[in-house]
Amino acid sequence: MPRKQIDPQHEGRALSLLQLKYSQRQIVKTLKNDGISVSQRTVSNIKRKIGVQRNSTEKIKFSRQRPAFTPLTISKVIQKIDVEDPPTQRSIARSCHISQSTVSRIIKSTNFVLRKKYKVQKLTSSNIKKRCQRARRFYRKLANHRYENFVTTDESWFYLNGTEEKRKVCYIKKNNLDYERMIIQQDSSRPKGFMVWAGISSRGKTSIRFVAPGGQEKQMIYHHDSAPSHVSKETIAFMNKTKINYVKPQEWMPKSPDAAPMDYAVW
C-alpha cells in the first residue's frame, strides 16, 4: 500500500520546528495543538529526507525555493536586455538561474517592450554630399511619369553569413519608440558567394539572369549603379556605341532606397 504523502505546508511547519531544535515528540504535540495530525515516523522521514540528524549543527534546508522575482534578479535581467544586441530570453534565464517565463514577466513589469530592428543603408559623408548634389536633378529625370521609362538592374551576391552576429530585435522602453538601436546598418561589402542578376521597372520585373522576351516597343532608360564594372571605360564605350540610353555615373544616387529598389526592395 503506498505511503500517504504529507501536505507541503505541514512539512514546512515540521521543518521550521526542527530548525528550532524541537524533538520529534514535541513537534508531533505542537502540530496536534494546531490541528495537524502527524506521526513521529513522519517527522523522522522528513529529517531523513533533508539529511539532518537530531544532534547535528547543520542548518535545516527548506525545500521551498527562494522567489526569483527579487530586485537583484530584476537588475541582472535589465542589464542584459538594455544593450544593442541583447541575448535571447532563454540564455538570460539560464545565466540568471530563473525560468524563461520569469524573464518575460520582468521585461513586461519594467516597462520594456520587444521591437524588431529596421534595416537602413549605411551612409558615409561622401554619400551624403553626392545625394545632396544630385537629388534635385535626378528627381527631374523621373518626374511627370518619366519614371515609367526607367528600368533599373543590379547584380547581387547571395551568402549565408550576412547577419554579422547582429540580433534582429532589441528591448526598449515603451515611451521611447524612436531609438537608435532599432536599426541595422547594411554595409556594401559582401563576402564570397554566388551572384544573380535581375531588373525591375514600372511594368514589372525581369527574370533572373536574362530579360524576359516580348513587351512593348518603347525606348527605355537603363539605370544601374556605380559599381566598377558599370562605370568602366569599356562599359561606357559599349553603351555609347550601341546607343543605350542610360543614367550617367555622375547622375547616380548612392545608397538611396528610392532610386535603387533592387538593393533595398528586391534583394
Side-chain angles (χ1 to χ4, degrees):
M1 185 175 179
R3 182 180 300 170
K4 185 178 180 180
Q5 297 290 334
I6 185 173
D7 188 275
Q9 293 183 351
H10 298 168
E11 183 178 359
R13 286 291 313 278
L15 288 172
S16 63
L17 294 174
L18 283 169
Q19 189 178 29
L20 296 174
K21 306 298 183 182
Y22 277 49
S23 67
Q24 294 182 25
R25 187 186 297 272
Q26 289 174 323
I27 292 174
V28 172
K29 185 177 181 180
T30 303
L31 294 179
K32 186 176 181 180
N33 293 334
D34 294 337
I36 302 173
S37 178
V38 296
S39 65
Q40 290 191 35
R41 184 175 181 181
T42 301
V43 177
S44 178
N45 290 337
I46 294 173
K47 289 176 62 177
R48 190 180 301 110
K49 179 180 177 181
I50 62 175
V52 177
Q53 302 302 323
R54 178 177 296 179
N55 298 323
S56 175
T57 57
E58 182 183 352
K59 292 184 178 180
I60 296 177
K61 297 180 180 179
F62 292 85
S63 60
R64 185 175 63 88
Q65 295 183 351
R66 185 182 62 178
F69 217 106
T70 63
L72 180 60
T73 305
I74 294 174
S75 176
K76 288 181 179 180
V77 173
I78 292 177
Q79 289 178 4
K80 291 182 179 296
I81 66 173
D82 197 19
V83 293
E84 183 175 355
D85 292 308
T88 62
Q89 293 188 22
R90 178 178 297 178
S91 61
I92 294 175
R94 190 182 303 114
S95 62
C96 294
H97 306 289
I98 56 179
S99 66
Q100 188 172 337
S101 60
T102 301
V103 174
S104 180
R105 290 199 305 270
I106 291 175
I107 292 173
K108 292 179 181 179
S109 65
T110 52
N111 209 31
F112 277 88
V113 63
L114 182 69
R115 283 288 182 268
K116 186 176 181 180
K117 295 180 181 178
Y118 299 99
K119 290 184 178 181
V120 298
Q121 63 274 23
K122 185 177 182 180
L123 294 175
T124 64
S125 57
S126 176
N127 296 147
I128 297 174
K129 183 178 179 180
K130 290 178 181 178
R131 289 181 64 170
C132 292
Q133 292 173 346
R134 302 173 182 178
R136 187 66 182 175
R137 182 173 53 186
F138 194 72
Y139 168 75
R140 288 173 178 171
K141 272 184 167 290
L142 300 175
N144 297 326
H145 296 280
R146 284 194 292 267
Y147 69 89
E148 296 177 355
N149 298 331
F150 277 70
V151 54
T152 174
T153 69
D154 194 20
E155 66 282 339
S156 178
W157 287 94
F158 282 80
Y159 46 90
L160 298 177
N161 56 339
T163 61
E164 299 177 350
E165 299 182 353
K166 296 290 185 181
R167 289 272 287 156
K168 295 182 180 180
V169 298
C170 62
Y171 297 93
I172 63 172
K173 288 286 187 179
K174 292 181 180 179
N175 57 358
N176 187 15
L177 299 181
D178 188 12
Y179 206 56
E180 291 183 358
R181 287 186 301 203
M182 290 180 63
I183 64 173
I184 300 178
Q185 290 186 340
Q186 300 183 91
D187 203 346
S188 299
S189 60
R190 297 181 175 91
K192 293 182 179 180
F194 63 93
M195 182 183 291
V196 297
W197 177 93
I200 190 171
S201 72
S202 63
R203 296 186 177 88
K205 59 186 179 181
T206 70
S207 301
I208 297 294
R209 298 181 59 188
F210 59 92
V211 180
Q216 299 179 1
E217 293 292 335
K218 193 169 185 178
Q219 181 67 31
M220 302 296 289
I221 300 173
Y222 184 55
H223 179 200
H224 60 174
D225 59 25
S226 55
S229 58
H230 297 167
V231 298
S232 66
K233 293 180 179 179
E234 291 80 4
T235 302
I236 298 298
F238 171 78
M239 290 190 291
N240 290 336
K241 182 179 179 180
T242 54
K243 298 182 180 180
I244 296 176
N245 193 3
Y246 64 96
V247 176
K248 305 298 188 296
Q250 60 271 23
E251 298 174 335
W252 169 249
M253 291 287 292
K255 306 284 186 177
S256 173
D258 297 320
M262 292 301 298
D263 278 333
Y264 300 100
V266 177
W267 297 136

